[in-house]
Amino acid sequence: MTLAAKSLLLIAVLGLAACNNPDRYGAGGAGGAGGAGGAGGIDTTGLGDPNNPTSIAYFNQTVGDRVLFAVDQSTISPEGRGILTAQASWLNQNTGYAAIIEGHADEQGTREYNLALGARRAAAVQNFLISQGVAANRLRTISYGKERPLEVCSEEACYAKNRRAVTVLSAGAGA
């Protein structure tokens, strides 16, 4: 093999090795003992305990991690405002967390329309949380449109569960 070919092979191997992070989900890999949202170098003790009021599991199960929307709407309902007020209070008390707000839509409509609708839903949640005192630099949004349904069927009950915004926490906010 020529020196140039060996150099290219070495660069390719190093590039692939740099992409591999076996501990990216905490100890034990995805779903392992590292806990939900575990980040490298951060103490993840208690993140998965639903009885620990500072844990991600507590936030998801007790505070509530999602709000639902009406058909073709990004307006937050009164029930949604209650959930988001509780989220904002929790986030303001637990400043070591950042959040990604995922906007989702049901399967009705085009991919492009649903991506835009999901983005409007995520932005509505983000704006509400900011209005409640959560620092904007702790929040990001992403839209999945209809690409990540919770339920797959052509019935209103399924559609209703898919029209949502989900607040996904991660430890180690850069606030």
Side-chain angles (χ1 to χ4, degrees):
M1 217 188 298
T2 67
L3 181 60
K6 288 179 184 177
S7 297
L8 285 174
L9 182 60
L10 179 63
I11 290 171
V13 168
L14 290 175
L16 288 174
C19 293
N20 184 17
N21 182 1
D23 197 36
R24 70 181 165 268
Y25 297 114
I42 296 174
D43 179 14
T44 58
T45 305
L47 291 180
D49 181 2
N51 297 316
N52 177 353
T54 64
S55 74
I56 291 174
Y58 181 91
F59 176 88
N60 292 344
Q61 295 176 19
T62 305
V63 176
D65 66 343
R66 69 196 60 213
V67 293
L68 301 177
F69 292 87
V71 177
D72 297 328
Q73 296 294 313
S74 58
T75 304
I76 300 169
S77 69
E79 180 183 347
R81 281 193 290 279
I83 292 168
L84 292 175
T85 300
Q87 284 186 12
S89 176
W90 191 93
L91 286 165
N92 285 328
Q93 292 173 9
N94 296 279
T95 58
Y97 292 94
I100 298 174
I101 302 158
E102 300 176 345
H104 299 270
D106 62 33
E107 68 182 54
Q108 302 174 92
T110 66
R111 181 178 186 276
E112 294 77 17
Y113 175 80
N114 283 315
L115 281 170
L117 181 58
R120 288 193 304 273
R121 289 173 174 166
V125 169
Q126 180 184 37
N127 291 335
F128 186 92
L129 292 173
I130 291 169
S131 78
Q132 299 296 303
V134 178
N137 66 343
R138 294 174 57 202
L139 304 172
R140 291 186 319 144
T141 63
I142 188 167
S143 176
Y144 291 112
K146 61 182 180 178
E147 303 304 319
R148 292 189 175 186
L150 285 179
E151 300 278 336
V152 180
C153 72
S154 296
E155 297 175 11
E156 177 54 30
C158 294
Y159 294 153
K161 292 178 184 175
N162 292 330
R163 295 189 297 261
R164 69 196 188 281
V166 181
T167 304
V168 180
L169 299 178
S170 61

